[in-house]
Amino acid sequence: MSEFIKFPFYIKFTAILLSLIGLFVILYFGQDIIFPILLSCLFAIILRPVVSFLIKRLRFPHFIAVVFAIVLFVLIFLGLFYFISMQVTDMANDWSKIKSNFYYHLDHFQQLIRDNFHLSKKEQNEILNKATKKGIDSSTEIVSTTLNSFTDVALNLTLIPIYTFLFLLYQNLFITFLCKLYKPEDHKKLREILFQIKTAVQSYVVGLLFEMVAVSILTTIGLWMIGVQYFILLGILTGILNLVPYIGILFAGALTIIVSLSGSTDLSIVLGVIIVNVVVQLIDNNILVPLFVNSKVQINAFVSIVGIIIGNVLGGITGMFLAIPIIAIIKVIFDRIDSLEPWGYLLGDDLPKTYEWHKIKIPLYNYSSSTSPINFNTEEGNPNIPSTNTFETDSNNTNDTIEE
């Protein structure tokens, strides 16, 4: 009797679709429990080399090594929070100046509206007063939501170090549990998958941290050169927000412009801020990302953006941050399972990133040198090109070519 039962494709597809729907429902309604655990698991993978170093090189007992790693982890975050809070305090001391500059820009903005839309300042103030009244009417709900959010953040900040500590303490228990789920002949593949997951996540997150530091330094220097007052705070916030791919930098740019206008009456500083952000992003995307965040698991941009949007719907900022590592883990698992390998390929990115021209590497996005073994022809009815209705696979050829 066969151990596996083969089902038609439509039954398999329906089962996969229902499983995904069930998974999304569980993540959506259980996000307050699941996402802190996933974030803690991510931090545990990052801290695993620290624990191994303390055990193997410094001969620490396992429990003491885990405690030391967690304490170091918490101290780093507390130090960063303290530094940012000091910068915010310095900014708060200039509140009267910020308020004066805000009213200055508001007056000019109202003047611009009056000249172009023929709305007097009195009419504009009436619109603002109505909006303010509506805001006051809903202030109770806003305060309640803010307090709930603050409570959730405080709870997570307490639970995440505890979860991380327990993941590191019971890591052998979890690995043994996974081994017990599979037959001994599958343990080799399981070890390969776990090793690849650890390598991919560590490579991505550590590279992301280096990228954060580099973006913070470059942005700080750029804002200092154009005369932005709170350049250190804004540079650090830009680096932190850049941890959220694609979307974080947009919020960082908008925040920088707003704070810059609050600290100065010169509107030309907006152009300088935009130039600094564009230059930093060009350096980040073309130098820092390939240098620091080039993990062993490549994920294409389409899947990354969709994953970040889904992560935002399911878990907010935490979900957006976890989206890429989770997709990387899923891709590693799919690549190692024969029946799921096509889905792993779909998540990947096999486009060549650069082309060398006169010893200068420039972007190249086409399939003329793809690594896929499939050679296919999309032209029909062209007398100069041999027509084919089937896909031809050449195992000796490692490049994809589209005959034109």
Side-chain angles (χ1 to χ4, degrees):
M1 182 177 178
S2 178
E3 185 178 353
F4 298 100
I5 302 176
K6 294 183 178 180
F7 292 101
F9 173 77
Y10 64 89
I11 294 181
K12 293 181 180 179
F13 183 78
T14 303
I16 293 174
L17 187 61
L18 291 176
S19 299
L20 290 175
I21 293 174
L23 178 62
F24 289 150
V25 170
I26 292 173
L27 289 176
Y28 182 78
F29 288 101
Q31 56 180 291
D32 294 335
I33 299 175
I34 296 174
F35 279 98
I37 294 177
L38 293 177
L39 195 61
S40 301
C41 182
L42 184 67
F43 289 145
I45 295 175
I46 300 171
L47 293 176
R48 182 68 186 93
V50 178
V51 175
S52 298
F53 174 80
L54 294 175
I55 294 175
K56 295 179 180 179
R57 298 300 180 89
L58 301 183
R59 304 295 181 182
F60 278 27
H62 180 70
F63 179 83
I64 301 300
V66 172
V67 171
F68 188 88
I70 294 297
V71 171
L72 180 64
F73 170 74
V74 173
L75 288 177
I76 291 175
F77 272 88
L78 289 178
L80 180 61
F81 177 77
Y82 176 77
F83 184 79
I84 293 177
S85 63
M86 292 297 295
Q87 296 295 318
V88 173
T89 302
D90 293 338
M91 182 177 174
N93 293 333
D94 296 332
W95 175 248
S96 59
K97 180 182 177 182
I98 293 173
K99 186 178 179 181
S100 175
N101 291 332
F102 173 78
Y103 282 115
Y104 175 83
H105 290 298
L106 179 62
D107 183 68
H108 279 265
F109 184 69
Q110 288 182 328
Q111 181 73 25
L112 182 65
I113 293 178
R114 188 185 68 178
D115 294 339
N116 291 274
F117 299 97
H118 306 291
L119 284 174
S120 64
K121 288 187 177 181
K122 182 179 179 180
E123 293 173 332
Q124 296 179 43
N125 289 330
E126 289 177 356
I127 295 174
L128 288 175
N129 290 333
K130 290 180 180 179
T132 304
K133 185 178 179 180
K134 291 181 180 179
I136 293 175
D137 294 337
S138 60
S139 60
T140 304
E141 182 180 353
I142 295 175
V143 171
S144 177
T145 303
T146 303
L147 290 177
N148 290 333
S149 300
F150 180 78
T151 303
D152 293 339
V153 171
L155 181 62
N156 289 335
L157 290 177
T158 304
L159 290 177
I160 287 176
I162 297 175
Y163 287 154
T164 306
F165 170 79
L166 295 176
F167 272 121
L168 291 172
L169 186 65
Y170 292 113
Q171 58 180 340
N172 291 333
L173 175 68
F174 296 128
I175 294 175
T176 304
F177 165 74
L178 292 176
C179 291
K180 288 180 176 294
L181 292 177
Y182 298 94
K183 297 179 179 180
E185 54 266 26
D186 296 327
H187 287 177
K188 180 179 179 181
K189 179 174 287 188
L190 178 62
R191 285 195 300 269
E192 292 176 354
I193 292 176
L194 293 176
F195 177 79
Q196 190 69 24
I197 289 174
K198 182 192 73 172
T199 303
V201 172
Q202 288 178 352
S203 175
Y204 174 76
V205 177
V206 173
L208 208 61
L209 294 177
F210 278 109
E211 182 195 10
M212 179 190 72
V213 173
V215 169
S216 299
I217 294 174
L218 290 174
T219 306
T220 300
I221 295 174
L223 296 179
W224 170 73
M225 292 178 64
I226 64 175
V228 176
Q229 185 173 359
Y230 312 106
F231 59 91
I232 297 179
L233 174 63
L234 295 174
I236 294 175
L237 291 178
T238 300
I240 294 175
L241 290 174
N242 194 55
L243 292 175
V244 180
Y246 304 107
I247 301 175
I249 192 62
L250 298 178
F251 288 101
L255 178 64
T256 303
I257 291 175
I258 294 173
V259 176
S260 300
L261 290 177
S262 300
S264 174
T265 58
D266 187 7
L267 287 175
S268 63
I269 200 169
V270 175
L271 179 61
V273 170
I274 294 175
I275 293 175
V276 169
N277 278 277
V278 170
V279 171
V280 171
Q281 281 305 295
L282 289 175
I283 296 174
D284 179 35
N285 294 329
N286 294 281
I287 298 177
L288 299 180
V289 171
L291 184 63
F292 293 135
V293 197
N294 186 21
S295 66
K296 292 186 177 180
V297 176
Q298 299 292 336
I299 302 171
N300 65 70
F302 177 78
V303 173
S304 299
I305 295 174
V306 173
I308 290 170
I309 294 174
I310 294 175
N312 179 48
V313 173
L314 295 176
I317 296 178
T318 304
M320 296 170 69
F321 176 74
L322 288 172
I324 303 299
I326 290 177
I327 294 174
I329 292 173
I330 293 174
K331 185 180 187 306
V332 169
I333 296 174
F334 284 1
D335 286 341
R336 291 289 180 174
I337 299 176
D338 294 337
S339 60
L340 298 176
E341 193 275 335
W343 297 98
Y345 176 80
L346 180 64
L347 298 177
D349 185 6
D350 68 343
L351 291 179
K353 300 299 184 297
T354 58
Y355 171 75
E356 188 169 340
W357 177 73
H358 292 287
K359 297 183 178 181
I360 300 176
K361 290 186 177 181
I362 59 177
L364 174 66
Y365 296 102
N366 61 51
Y367 272 91
S368 61
S369 59
S370 174
T371 58
S372 174
I374 299 176
N375 183 6
F376 57 91
N377 186 352
T378 60
E379 298 291 342
E380 292 185 3
N382 190 333
N384 297 323
I385 300 177
S387 178
T388 179
N389 295 323
T390 59
F391 290 96
E392 298 178 355
T393 303
D394 183 3
S395 60
N396 296 322
N397 184 12
T398 59
N399 294 330
D400 270 354
T401 58
I402 302 180
E403 300 177 10
E404 300 180 355

PDB file of all heavy atoms in Angstrom, residues 87-103 229-230 258-259 261-263:
ATOM      1  N   GLN A  87      18.082  63.505  22.833  1.00  0.00           N
ATOM      2  CA  GLN A  87      17.934  64.375  21.668  1.00  0.00           C
ATOM      3  C   GLN A  87      16.526  64.985  21.622  1.00  0.00           C
ATOM      4  O   GLN A  87      16.366  66.168  21.289  1.00  0.00           O
ATOM      5  CB  GLN A  87      18.201  63.576  20.390  1.00  0.00           C
ATOM      6  CG  GLN A  87      19.618  63.054  20.261  1.00  0.00           C
ATOM      7  CD  GLN A  87      20.629  64.188  20.125  1.00  0.00           C
ATOM      8  OE1 GLN A  87      20.396  65.157  19.421  1.00  0.00           O
ATOM      9  NE2 GLN A  87      21.747  64.060  20.809  1.00  0.00           N
ATOM     10  N   VAL A  88      15.522  64.188  21.970  1.00  0.00           N
ATOM     11  CA  VAL A  88      14.156  64.710  21.997  1.00  0.00           C
ATOM     12  C   VAL A  88      14.012  65.775  23.076  1.00  0.00           C
ATOM     13  O   VAL A  88      13.300  66.779  22.896  1.00  0.00           O
ATOM     14  CB  VAL A  88      13.153  63.554  22.215  1.00  0.00           C
ATOM     15  CG1 VAL A  88      11.736  64.094  22.422  1.00  0.00           C
ATOM     16  CG2 VAL A  88      13.181  62.594  21.036  1.00  0.00           C
ATOM     17  N   THR A  89      14.678  65.571  24.205  1.00  0.00           N
ATOM     18  CA  THR A  89      14.640  66.574  25.278  1.00  0.00           C
ATOM     19  C   THR A  89      15.231  67.890  24.819  1.00  0.00           C
ATOM     20  O   THR A  89      14.690  68.975  25.102  1.00  0.00           O
ATOM     21  CB  THR A  89      15.397  66.050  26.503  1.00  0.00           C
ATOM     22  OG1 THR A  89      14.811  64.819  26.947  1.00  0.00           O
ATOM     23  CG2 THR A  89      15.349  67.062  27.643  1.00  0.00           C
ATOM     24  N   ASP A  90      16.356  67.840  24.112  1.00  0.00           N
ATOM     25  CA  ASP A  90      16.955  69.064  23.572  1.00  0.00           C
ATOM     26  C   ASP A  90      16.001  69.762  22.602  1.00  0.00           C
ATOM     27  O   ASP A  90      15.916  70.997  22.572  1.00  0.00           O
ATOM     28  CB  ASP A  90      18.270  68.740  22.861  1.00  0.00           C
ATOM     29  CG  ASP A  90      19.333  68.251  23.831  1.00  0.00           C
ATOM     30  OD1 ASP A  90      19.206  68.544  25.032  1.00  0.00           O
ATOM     31  OD2 ASP A  90      20.277  67.571  23.384  1.00  0.00           O
ATOM     32  N   MET A  91      15.280  68.973  21.821  1.00  0.00           N
ATOM     33  CA  MET A  91      14.317  69.535  20.886  1.00  0.00           C
ATOM     34  C   MET A  91      13.141  70.160  21.635  1.00  0.00           C
ATOM     35  O   MET A  91      12.627  71.220  21.247  1.00  0.00           O
ATOM     36  CB  MET A  91      13.829  68.431  19.941  1.00  0.00           C
ATOM     37  CG  MET A  91      12.860  68.890  18.871  1.00  0.00           C
ATOM     38  SD  MET A  91      12.402  67.528  17.762  1.00  0.00           S
ATOM     39  CE  MET A  91      11.142  68.347  16.767  1.00  0.00           C
ATOM     40  N   ALA A  92      12.708  69.528  22.716  1.00  0.00           N
ATOM     41  CA  ALA A  92      11.589  70.063  23.498  1.00  0.00           C
ATOM     42  C   ALA A  92      11.950  71.383  24.166  1.00  0.00           C
ATOM     43  O   ALA A  92      11.072  72.228  24.396  1.00  0.00           O
ATOM     44  CB  ALA A  92      11.157  69.038  24.540  1.00  0.00           C
ATOM     45  N   ASN A  93      13.222  71.579  24.482  1.00  0.00           N
ATOM     46  CA  ASN A  93      13.645  72.842  25.096  1.00  0.00           C
ATOM     47  C   ASN A  93      13.482  74.027  24.151  1.00  0.00           C
ATOM     48  O   ASN A  93      13.418  75.173  24.600  1.00  0.00           O
ATOM     49  CB  ASN A  93      15.105  72.736  25.549  1.00  0.00           C
ATOM     50  CG  ASN A  93      15.277  71.756  26.694  1.00  0.00           C
ATOM     51  OD1 ASN A  93      14.345  71.532  27.479  1.00  0.00           O
ATOM     52  ND2 ASN A  93      16.453  71.160  26.802  1.00  0.00           N
ATOM     53  N   ASP A  94      13.443  73.746  22.848  1.00  0.00           N
ATOM     54  CA  ASP A  94      13.263  74.804  21.852  1.00  0.00           C
ATOM     55  C   ASP A  94      11.813  74.891  21.381  1.00  0.00           C
ATOM     56  O   ASP A  94      11.539  75.295  20.252  1.00  0.00           O
ATOM     57  CB  ASP A  94      14.184  74.545  20.639  1.00  0.00           C
ATOM     58  CG  ASP A  94      15.645  74.603  21.012  1.00  0.00           C
ATOM     59  OD1 ASP A  94      15.988  75.317  21.965  1.00  0.00           O
ATOM     60  OD2 ASP A  94      16.445  73.915  20.346  1.00  0.00           O
ATOM     61  N   TRP A  95      10.870  74.490  22.246  1.00  0.00           N
ATOM     62  CA  TRP A  95       9.476  74.428  21.833  1.00  0.00           C
ATOM     63  C   TRP A  95       8.924  75.787  21.407  1.00  0.00           C
ATOM     64  O   TRP A  95       8.164  75.888  20.452  1.00  0.00           O
ATOM     65  CB  TRP A  95       8.631  73.849  22.961  1.00  0.00           C
ATOM     66  CG  TRP A  95       7.167  73.865  22.670  1.00  0.00           C
ATOM     67  CD1 TRP A  95       6.203  74.601  23.275  1.00  0.00           C
ATOM     68  CD2 TRP A  95       6.489  73.105  21.652  1.00  0.00           C
ATOM     69  NE1 TRP A  95       4.969  74.359  22.734  1.00  0.00           N
ATOM     70  CE2 TRP A  95       5.116  73.431  21.728  1.00  0.00           C
ATOM     71  CE3 TRP A  95       6.906  72.179  20.696  1.00  0.00           C
ATOM     72  CZ2 TRP A  95       4.167  72.881  20.891  1.00  0.00           C
ATOM     73  CZ3 TRP A  95       5.960  71.623  19.863  1.00  0.00           C
ATOM     74  CH2 TRP A  95       4.617  71.975  19.956  1.00  0.00           C
ATOM     75  N   SER A  96       9.305  76.838  22.110  1.00  0.00           N
ATOM     76  CA  SER A  96       8.801  78.173  21.757  1.00  0.00           C
ATOM     77  C   SER A  96       9.256  78.576  20.357  1.00  0.00           C
ATOM     78  O   SER A  96       8.483  79.140  19.575  1.00  0.00           O
ATOM     79  CB  SER A  96       9.267  79.197  22.788  1.00  0.00           C
ATOM     80  OG  SER A  96      10.687  79.242  22.860  1.00  0.00           O
ATOM     81  N   LYS A  97      10.498  78.241  20.017  1.00  0.00           N
ATOM     82  CA  LYS A  97      11.005  78.550  18.680  1.00  0.00           C
ATOM     83  C   LYS A  97      10.296  77.707  17.622  1.00  0.00           C
ATOM     84  O   LYS A  97       9.953  78.201  16.549  1.00  0.00           O
ATOM     85  CB  LYS A  97      12.515  78.304  18.642  1.00  0.00           C
ATOM     86  CG  LYS A  97      13.151  78.584  17.293  1.00  0.00           C
ATOM     87  CD  LYS A  97      14.629  78.279  17.316  1.00  0.00           C
ATOM     88  CE  LYS A  97      15.249  78.487  15.930  1.00  0.00           C
ATOM     89  NZ  LYS A  97      16.692  78.157  15.925  1.00  0.00           N
ATOM     90  N   ILE A  98      10.080  76.445  17.935  1.00  0.00           N
ATOM     91  CA  ILE A  98       9.382  75.554  16.994  1.00  0.00           C
ATOM     92  C   ILE A  98       7.961  76.048  16.751  1.00  0.00           C
ATOM     93  O   ILE A  98       7.481  76.076  15.611  1.00  0.00           O
ATOM     94  CB  ILE A  98       9.373  74.110  17.544  1.00  0.00           C
ATOM     95  CG1 ILE A  98      10.795  73.541  17.572  1.00  0.00           C
ATOM     96  CG2 ILE A  98       8.461  73.218  16.717  1.00  0.00           C
ATOM     97  CD1 ILE A  98      10.892  72.193  18.243  1.00  0.00           C
ATOM     98  N   LYS A  99       7.288  76.481  17.811  1.00  0.00           N
ATOM     99  CA  LYS A  99       5.934  76.996  17.686  1.00  0.00           C
ATOM    100  C   LYS A  99       5.887  78.251  16.837  1.00  0.00           C
ATOM    101  O   LYS A  99       5.010  78.423  15.979  1.00  0.00           O
ATOM    102  CB  LYS A  99       5.371  77.275  19.080  1.00  0.00           C
ATOM    103  CG  LYS A  99       3.911  77.691  19.101  1.00  0.00           C
ATOM    104  CD  LYS A  99       3.432  77.890  20.532  1.00  0.00           C
ATOM    105  CE  LYS A  99       1.979  78.331  20.558  1.00  0.00           C
ATOM    106  NZ  LYS A  99       1.497  78.544  21.958  1.00  0.00           N
ATOM    107  N   SER A 100       6.886  79.143  17.050  1.00  0.00           N
ATOM    108  CA  SER A 100       6.945  80.377  16.266  1.00  0.00           C
ATOM    109  C   SER A 100       7.167  80.076  14.787  1.00  0.00           C
ATOM    110  O   SER A 100       6.504  80.660  13.911  1.00  0.00           O
ATOM    111  CB  SER A 100       8.063  81.269  16.806  1.00  0.00           C
ATOM    112  OG  SER A 100       8.224  82.421  16.004  1.00  0.00           O
ATOM    113  N   ASN A 101       8.082  79.155  14.481  1.00  0.00           N
ATOM    114  CA  ASN A 101       8.337  78.799  13.078  1.00  0.00           C
ATOM    115  C   ASN A 101       7.128  78.113  12.450  1.00  0.00           C
ATOM    116  O   ASN A 101       6.847  78.295  11.265  1.00  0.00           O
ATOM    117  CB  ASN A 101       9.550  77.867  12.992  1.00  0.00           C
ATOM    118  CG  ASN A 101      10.840  78.575  13.337  1.00  0.00           C
ATOM    119  OD1 ASN A 101      10.969  79.775  13.143  1.00  0.00           O
ATOM    120  ND2 ASN A 101      11.808  77.828  13.858  1.00  0.00           N
ATOM    121  N   PHE A 102       6.403  77.318  13.251  1.00  0.00           N
ATOM    122  CA  PHE A 102       5.211  76.654  12.740  1.00  0.00           C
ATOM    123  C   PHE A 102       4.158  77.674  12.301  1.00  0.00           C
ATOM    124  O   PHE A 102       3.582  77.562  11.216  1.00  0.00           O
ATOM    125  CB  PHE A 102       4.644  75.715  13.813  1.00  0.00           C
ATOM    126  CG  PHE A 102       3.319  75.116  13.442  1.00  0.00           C
ATOM    127  CD1 PHE A 102       3.257  74.055  12.558  1.00  0.00           C
ATOM    128  CD2 PHE A 102       2.133  75.617  13.979  1.00  0.00           C
ATOM    129  CE1 PHE A 102       2.035  73.501  12.204  1.00  0.00           C
ATOM    130  CE2 PHE A 102       0.915  75.064  13.631  1.00  0.00           C
ATOM    131  CZ  PHE A 102       0.866  74.004  12.749  1.00  0.00           C
ATOM    132  N   TYR A 103       3.906  78.678  13.140  1.00  0.00           N
ATOM    133  CA  TYR A 103       2.927  79.712  12.780  1.00  0.00           C
ATOM    134  C   TYR A 103       3.403  80.544  11.596  1.00  0.00           C
ATOM    135  O   TYR A 103       2.588  81.009  10.784  1.00  0.00           O
ATOM    136  CB  TYR A 103       2.639  80.606  13.989  1.00  0.00           C
ATOM    137  CG  TYR A 103       1.712  79.978  14.997  1.00  0.00           C
ATOM    138  CD1 TYR A 103       2.144  79.668  16.289  1.00  0.00           C
ATOM    139  CD2 TYR A 103       0.403  79.673  14.662  1.00  0.00           C
ATOM    140  CE1 TYR A 103       1.289  79.087  17.213  1.00  0.00           C
ATOM    141  CE2 TYR A 103      -0.460  79.079  15.575  1.00  0.00           C
ATOM    142  CZ  TYR A 103      -0.004  78.794  16.846  1.00  0.00           C
ATOM    143  OH  TYR A 103      -0.859  78.198  17.748  1.00  0.00           O
ATOM    144  N   GLN A 229      18.727  71.750  12.007  1.00  0.00           N
ATOM    145  CA  GLN A 229      19.090  71.938  13.407  1.00  0.00           C
ATOM    146  C   GLN A 229      19.193  70.623  14.172  1.00  0.00           C
ATOM    147  O   GLN A 229      20.159  70.393  14.891  1.00  0.00           O
ATOM    148  CB  GLN A 229      18.069  72.861  14.082  1.00  0.00           C
ATOM    149  CG  GLN A 229      18.425  73.208  15.520  1.00  0.00           C
ATOM    150  CD  GLN A 229      17.496  74.259  16.088  1.00  0.00           C
ATOM    151  OE1 GLN A 229      16.598  74.739  15.394  1.00  0.00           O
ATOM    152  NE2 GLN A 229      17.694  74.635  17.346  1.00  0.00           N
ATOM    153  N   TYR A 230      18.216  69.768  14.037  1.00  0.00           N
ATOM    154  CA  TYR A 230      18.188  68.518  14.809  1.00  0.00           C
ATOM    155  C   TYR A 230      18.693  67.363  13.946  1.00  0.00           C
ATOM    156  O   TYR A 230      18.046  66.328  13.798  1.00  0.00           O
ATOM    157  CB  TYR A 230      16.764  68.254  15.300  1.00  0.00           C
ATOM    158  CG  TYR A 230      16.129  69.453  15.948  1.00  0.00           C
ATOM    159  CD1 TYR A 230      15.134  70.180  15.287  1.00  0.00           C
ATOM    160  CD2 TYR A 230      16.535  69.899  17.203  1.00  0.00           C
ATOM    161  CE1 TYR A 230      14.552  71.294  15.874  1.00  0.00           C
ATOM    162  CE2 TYR A 230      15.962  71.021  17.790  1.00  0.00           C
ATOM    163  CZ  TYR A 230      14.972  71.715  17.115  1.00  0.00           C
ATOM    164  OH  TYR A 230      14.407  72.830  17.691  1.00  0.00           O
ATOM    165  N   ILE A 258       9.149  67.917   7.986  1.00  0.00           N
ATOM    166  CA  ILE A 258       8.308  68.601   8.975  1.00  0.00           C
ATOM    167  C   ILE A 258       9.147  69.188  10.102  1.00  0.00           C
ATOM    168  O   ILE A 258       8.994  70.359  10.484  1.00  0.00           O
ATOM    169  CB  ILE A 258       7.254  67.636   9.531  1.00  0.00           C
ATOM    170  CG1 ILE A 258       6.268  67.241   8.421  1.00  0.00           C
ATOM    171  CG2 ILE A 258       6.500  68.264  10.700  1.00  0.00           C
ATOM    172  CD1 ILE A 258       5.293  66.165   8.834  1.00  0.00           C
ATOM    173  N   VAL A 259      10.060  68.376  10.646  1.00  0.00           N
ATOM    174  CA  VAL A 259      10.893  68.853  11.751  1.00  0.00           C
ATOM    175  C   VAL A 259      11.842  69.946  11.281  1.00  0.00           C
ATOM    176  O   VAL A 259      12.115  70.913  12.012  1.00  0.00           O
ATOM    177  CB  VAL A 259      11.667  67.676  12.374  1.00  0.00           C
ATOM    178  CG1 VAL A 259      12.608  68.160  13.465  1.00  0.00           C
ATOM    179  CG2 VAL A 259      10.707  66.643  12.939  1.00  0.00           C
ATOM    180  N   LEU A 261      11.301  72.168   8.920  1.00  0.00           N
ATOM    181  CA  LEU A 261      10.537  73.411   8.802  1.00  0.00           C
ATOM    182  C   LEU A 261      10.213  73.990  10.176  1.00  0.00           C
ATOM    183  O   LEU A 261      10.109  75.213  10.330  1.00  0.00           O
ATOM    184  CB  LEU A 261       9.245  73.158   8.027  1.00  0.00           C
ATOM    185  CG  LEU A 261       9.411  72.875   6.530  1.00  0.00           C
ATOM    186  CD1 LEU A 261       8.065  72.564   5.893  1.00  0.00           C
ATOM    187  CD2 LEU A 261      10.058  74.069   5.834  1.00  0.00           C
ATOM    188  N   SER A 262      10.053  73.121  11.169  1.00  0.00           N
ATOM    189  CA  SER A 262       9.785  73.616  12.522  1.00  0.00           C
ATOM    190  C   SER A 262      11.010  74.285  13.134  1.00  0.00           C
ATOM    191  O   SER A 262      10.883  75.133  14.011  1.00  0.00           O
ATOM    192  CB  SER A 262       9.337  72.459  13.423  1.00  0.00           C
ATOM    193  OG  SER A 262       8.161  71.866  12.907  1.00  0.00           O
ATOM    194  N   GLY A 263      12.178  73.905  12.670  1.00  0.00           N
ATOM    195  CA  GLY A 263      13.402  74.476  13.233  1.00  0.00           C
ATOM    196  C   GLY A 263      13.962  75.629  12.440  1.00  0.00           C
ATOM    197  O   GLY A 263      14.954  76.236  12.844  1.00  0.00           O
TER     198      GLY A 263
END
